[in-house]
Amino acid sequence: MNLAENTVLITGGASGIGLALAERFQRAGSTVIVCGRREDKLLEAQQHLPGLHTRVCDVAVAAERVALLEWVQQAFPRLNVLVNNAGVQRRIQLADDEAWEVRRQELLINVEAPIHLATLFIPHLREQPNPAIINVTSGLAFAPMALAPIYSATKAALHSFTISLRHQLAATPIQVLEIVPPAVNTDLGGAGLHTWGVPVNDFADSVMARLAAGEQEVGYGTSEEIRRASREQIDARVAAMNNR
Ligand SMILES: NC(=O)c1ccc[n+]([C@@H]2O[C@H](COP(=O)([O-])OP(=O)(O)OC[C@H]3O[C@@H](n4cnc5c(N)ncnc54)[C@H](OP(=O)(O)O)[C@@H]3O)[C@@H](O)[C@H]2O)c1
């Protein structure tokens, strides 16, 4: 894809991977809008990247997704790229007693929201030049980490949906792309949990260069290995990651 001259909406773009993608789209000459729930993080992002546009939005709420599209169509009628990046990760024990409404949030944010947003935005995107939908999944889509069982399942679902979406939209101008991060040093799941991950800037430089070169599904380091792995290699990774 061409990284320049786009108008890009990045969900969850005020921090971590989304912010790094925003910076690179801006640097290449695109207009970028980021949304998220925390207004203070959006303001912080705007200070970091002057010219960044922001919108408070909770993508877990269906009505807020519809309102986001309506707002974008008014304020940025030339929006041509949707990046489904917002995500949460919860490390839980499934046998523990926990309210379903709490557990369900991960499904709403990581699966329902990107699927709904993608389908909501199709009619708008297909009328724009160089349209694209970019979904951010995870290496855990290919090899689940039992410590984050719902999270891993949500990313597998989003990876599968991305492939189907690409096939369904093949006859339209909309490109469907997937970024498959490995562990990246961000605040995902809470500060300090991913400090062992790869630096976010190295990761973002690599995946954006590969998207610019025309690749449709891009990983980095271990996620590049796992997205290309055989079933035997996946089984070995799952066993090693889950201490068996
Ligand atoms: N870091 C990793 O190791 C890693 C690995 C694989 C995949 N990923 C994926 O990369 C994506 C970005 O994560 P990250 O690592 O950059 O973590 P992050 O810094 O925590 O970013 C997640 C962003 O999503 C936003 N968000 C969460 N729930 C939201 C909601 N209901 N509505 C709107 N925005 C919401 C957060 O903002 P608010 O809290 O203000 O809403 C935050 O800005 C996620 O999809 C994650 O699953 C990350």
Side-chain angles (χ1 to χ4, degrees):
M1 77 177 296
N2 183 3
L3 302 183
E5 294 171 13
N6 302 296
T7 304
V8 185
L9 170 64
I10 305 178
T11 66
S15 66
I17 291 171
L19 185 61
L21 300 180
E23 187 170 0
R24 281 150 186 82
F25 271 118
Q26 259 198 354
R27 213 187 284 152
S30 290
T31 298
V32 183
I33 307 121
V34 296
C35 71
R37 296 167 299 185
R38 290 168 295 171
E39 195 159 18
D40 58 322
K41 289 302 283 185
L42 292 166
L43 285 171
E44 227 177 78
Q46 216 166 30
Q47 280 158 7
H48 176 64
L49 296 181
L52 188 71
H53 301 275
T54 63
R55 181 78 178 172
V56 174
C57 174
D58 182 350
V59 298
V61 181
E64 292 205 25
R65 296 175 211 138
V66 174
L68 181 64
L69 172 63
E70 287 169 357
W71 172 78
V72 158
Q73 285 180 311
Q74 283 291 320
F76 297 94
R78 297 185 56 184
L79 183 106
N80 67 323
V81 179
L82 167 67
V83 184
N84 277 315
N85 165 76
V88 291
Q89 184 186 82
R90 300 185 68 240
R91 297 179 179 198
I92 58 170
Q93 288 301 318
L94 294 167
D96 285 354
D97 188 18
E98 186 177 46
W100 175 241
E101 270 314 306
V102 175
R103 292 202 167 156
R104 187 167 163 249
Q105 283 302 306
E106 213 170 4
L107 294 171
L108 292 178
I109 296 167
N110 294 4
V111 186
E112 183 179 307
I115 291 177
H116 188 197
L117 284 170
T119 53
L120 274 175
F121 276 69
I122 287 170
H124 172 85
L125 292 175
R126 71 187 310 165
E127 301 304 323
Q128 310 305 317
N130 304 317
I133 296 172
I134 305 175
N135 290 335
V136 179
T137 63
S138 169
L140 300 184
F142 300 83
M145 179 170 73
L147 198 62
I150 297 179
Y151 176 85
S152 299
T154 64
K155 293 300 182 177
L158 187 58
H159 168 65
S160 168
F161 173 75
T162 304
I163 294 170
S164 297
L165 184 68
R166 185 177 299 129
H167 281 281
Q168 284 214 3
L169 297 186
T172 78
I174 305 174
Q175 279 189 276
V176 179
L177 309 172
E178 179 174 350
I179 296 176
V180 186
V184 180
N185 186 2
T186 69
D187 285 346
L188 184 71
L193 284 182
H194 284 91
T195 47
W196 55 279
V198 299
V200 67
N201 286 326
D202 295 353
F203 162 75
D205 283 342
S206 172
V207 295
M208 291 295 268
R210 288 176 60 191
L211 291 182
E215 289 189 58
Q216 291 187 321
E217 182 187 303
V218 294
Y220 183 79
T222 54
S223 68
E224 182 63 16
E225 286 166 22
I226 202 70
R227 79 176 185 87
R228 294 177 169 283
S230 68
R231 180 58 197 258
E232 288 72 21
Q233 290 167 321
I234 288 171
D235 287 348
R237 172 72 62 83
V238 170
M241 194 164 40
N242 296 298
N243 296 321
R244 289 183 54 232

